[in-house]
Amino acid sequence: MGGDTSSPRESDHELDFCCVGHLLGLPPVGYRFHSSICVDSPRVHEYSLYLHQQQLYLTTYTVKFRHVTYSFGLNRPPATPNKDRTQSLMIMFTGIDWAPESNRIVTCASDRNAYVWTLKDGIWKPTLVLVRINRAATCVKWSPLENKFALGSGARLISVCYFEKENDWWLSKHIKKPICSTVLSLAWHPNNILLAAGSADLHCRVISAYIKDIEDKPGPTAWGAKMPFGEVLLEHKDCGGWVHSVSFSPSGDQLAWVAHNSSITVADAAQKKEVTQLTTDHLPLLSVLYVNPTEIVAAGHDCCPYQFTYKGPGALAFVKKLDIPKQTSKSSMSAMQHFRNLDKRATEDDSNELDTLHQNSITQLCVVSGEKAKVEKYSSVGLDGAMVIWDFKH
Amino acid sequence: MSKNTVSDRFRKVDVDEYDENKFVDEEDGGENQGGPDEAEGNTNGALHAVLKNPPINTKNQNAKERAELLVVKVLSSFKSSDIEKAVGSLDKAGVDLLMKYIYRGFEKPSDNSSAVLLQWHEKALAVGGVGSIVRVLTARKTV
């Protein structure tokens, strides 16, 4: 890292990421892989995974928009990039999401724009979306049926965008009413209508994003029966801190979120929208994911994924840490080394690494394979530039 | 230089006050929260009594200061060996509240208070973990 003599502009934003041999049946260990020239290791904030027939499509990370294809065959060693089609954009994306069925990518950035990318002749071509926000976009998510997407922004609003065929462009409708600060996270309900939003005004809300131009009227759900556009079906005030991440359960009847006060909370629509909060002893969690109807995985500044379980109101509990600590072989240290460590670091330990796989906060969790109701593999990315794929045992 | 760069009075203007969409915290009642009462003799009972009814929602600074002084007095009256047991007798919310008072106490140190508070901090940290400290920092309504 430090002593590289590479051209600063170009390599400034090269990717440094870690691929996993897990798909070959190896234990969930991350392998660090430096791209050709790397001056700074960019922090991975946002990513999207699409695992299709043994091919791991990795989309962008932080700065460079990169479409990289990795093939994992049974006889091939892990992490061999076979084709690297890099499209350089030099813009810092704040959000990205991949729609697997229609194979489109939506990206958003702090330049107040969002683009929808479609694959044509092996190249991703962008289409501008008229989002009409006057602050940075923070997060974006395709809806389950992929006919629209929601975009959260610092302009205190959510922009729900859909494609209008007559004029061949992407239009947007704004949800402004109850939101008082930056929208930090979004999640869609399986019915393609309801949207959960966590924001910096310490509230977590479920709002209807029903666009009558492109879809039929929705049937009633546990959250409510009437869902006109912009209707707020749940507004939980004072979640204790910024709401970093929200996730619906596979059925959509429960909503889990994590807030900056080191808590995880679940709102249960099936039980009269009762809210159960669990405050943890750990550092704040940044991302939450439902892996089956009762189990939740969450990760954050502690660099380690945790498993929680929710069985009903008042029954939200911590299960276990999901990171197997490395069994470091303590090589024999010479007396000289021993005292040198004591002198330099006031400790006899030889390493200053964390004993978790990730060496820095985990910023996002993402499903890799398996149904929503029975996730088999999920992945985590962190500020250390590493991406790790984990197995989940139900 | 041109004339209009001479004065820097504009720097003292609080721009946020003029923002129409300024984020305002929601305010709850809190007038009845006068803080704990002075009564109890035995230390453990005093601890529980003093952690009840914290002046969280009120804007009355006097009430908050009175509560803080009281809490620090009670915490100082404990013997070092008893602190661990006392912390153990509190529930999760109690530990969080205790942490809030401890940090509040750190803000205005007096005589021996910091040393005592540090001992309490160590024991409370063992039970509440870093999460309890994070909650002190993120709480909008302070004790």
Side-chain angles (χ1 to χ4, degrees), chain A residues 279, chain B residues 91-101 128 131-132 135-136:
Chain A
T279 50
Chain B
D91 63 350
K92 258 194 173 200
V95 174
D96 285 346
L97 188 56
L98 178 65
M99 263 304 188
K100 283 196 179 147
Y101 275 117
S132 60
R135 276 183 285 282
V136 173

Side-chain angles (χ1 to χ4, degrees), chain A residues 90-378:
Chain A
M90 304 311 263
I91 192 170
M92 173 113 173
F93 290 122
T94 50
I96 183 168
D97 198 23
W98 196 321
E101 303 301 321
S102 51
N103 205 25
R104 289 176 297 183
I105 299 177
V106 62
T107 58
C108 68
S110 45
D111 68 350
R112 301 163 296 163
N113 280 335
Y115 288 90
V116 172
W117 301 78
T118 36
L119 189 60
K120 287 200 176 76
D121 310 315
I123 306 269
W124 289 95
K125 297 236 158 64
T127 316
L128 179 64
V129 177
L130 293 159
V131 198
R132 302 177 289 128
I133 51 180
N134 58 5
R135 291 287 186 279
T138 52
C139 48
V140 67
K141 278 264 151 57
W142 281 107
S143 68
L145 292 178
E146 299 171 14
N147 52 0
K148 56 184 175 176
F149 63 86
L151 181 108
S153 70
R156 295 178 254 244
L157 55 85
I158 299 172
S159 197
V160 182
C161 309
Y162 59 100
F163 191 65
E164 208 202 22
K165 281 227 173 70
E166 294 124 40
N167 293 326
D168 192 30
W169 62 5
W170 287 86
L171 284 183
S172 65
K173 281 185 116 173
H174 287 173
I175 299 176
K176 270 195 246 206
K177 246 317 150 51
I179 307 174
C180 306
S181 189
T182 309
V183 176
L184 296 172
S185 56
L186 293 169
W188 285 93
H189 186 282
N191 76 351
N192 209 57
I193 306 289
L194 299 177
L195 186 63
S199 76
D201 60 0
L202 322 176
H203 287 30
C204 181
R205 301 180 174 91
V206 173
I207 310 177
S208 163
Y210 166 62
I211 309 259
K212 69 173 191 286
D213 297 332
I214 56 166
E215 53 202 353
D216 302 322
K217 215 160 170 213
T221 67
W223 294 99
K226 284 195 169 290
M227 288 175 265
F229 183 81
E231 179 82 1
V232 177
L233 295 116
L234 169 79
E235 182 168 21
H236 187 76
K237 301 181 206 282
D238 205 6
C239 300
W242 305 319
V243 181
H244 287 298
S245 176
V246 282
S247 173
F248 273 107
S249 66
S251 63
D253 286 342
Q254 284 86 29
L255 177 69
W257 68 83
V258 284
H260 200 69
N261 67 343
S262 300
S263 69
I264 175 170
T265 317
V266 178
D268 201 339
Q271 304 290 334
K272 302 197 188 95
K273 300 191 189 167
E274 189 166 330
V275 173
T276 312
Q277 184 185 70
L278 175 69
T279 50
T280 71
D281 300 345
H282 319 298
L283 289 176
L285 298 162
L286 290 173
S287 184
V288 71
L289 190 65
Y290 250 100
V291 290
N292 76 23
T294 54
E295 307 305 301
I296 306 170
V297 172
H301 290 292
D302 262 337
C303 322
C304 168
Y306 295 110
Q307 181 181 340
F308 295 89
T309 180
Y310 175 77
K311 299 225 164 65
L316 175 59
F318 171 69
V319 177
K320 59 179 173 181
K321 271 182 160 192
L322 290 167
D323 194 336
I324 312 155
K326 274 196 288 238
Q327 303 297 329
T328 47
S329 54
K330 297 241 176 210
S331 55
S332 56
M333 252 199 295
S334 65
M336 169 80 156
Q337 187 70 1
H338 182 99
F339 285 107
R340 191 184 290 152
N341 281 336
L342 263 179
D343 179 43
K344 259 203 230 169
R345 300 195 205 112
T347 166
E348 289 152 19
D349 280 316
D350 211 4
S351 77
N352 55 359
E353 279 186 2
L354 295 174
D355 64 356
T356 51
L357 254 171
H358 277 282
Q359 294 299 304
N360 207 327
S361 311
I362 294 176
T363 48
Q364 204 191 345
L365 295 170
C366 189
V367 175
V368 174
S369 71
E371 292 290 306
K372 272 196 149 212
K374 200 168 179 214
V375 170
E376 278 148 27
K377 294 194 223 289
Y378 63 94

Side-chain angles (χ1 to χ4, degrees), chain B residues 61-91:
Chain B
Q61 285 303 322
N62 286 333
K64 291 193 191 235
E65 273 179 43
R66 219 167 36 88
E68 179 53 38
L69 288 173
L70 210 51
V71 171
V72 172
K73 202 165 86 171
V74 171
L75 294 184
S76 315
S77 69
F78 269 77
K79 273 206 292 274
S80 306
S81 44
D82 292 336
I83 295 181
E84 194 165 346
K85 215 168 27 154
V87 173
S89 72
L90 294 171
D91 63 350

Side-chain angles (χ1 to χ4, degrees), chain B residues 98-115:
Chain B
L98 178 65
M99 263 304 188
K100 283 196 179 147
Y101 275 117
I102 291 175
Y103 275 93
R104 184 89 202 244
F106 281 144
E107 284 170 35
K108 291 200 178 74
S110 68
D111 285 4
N112 198 27
S113 70
S114 288

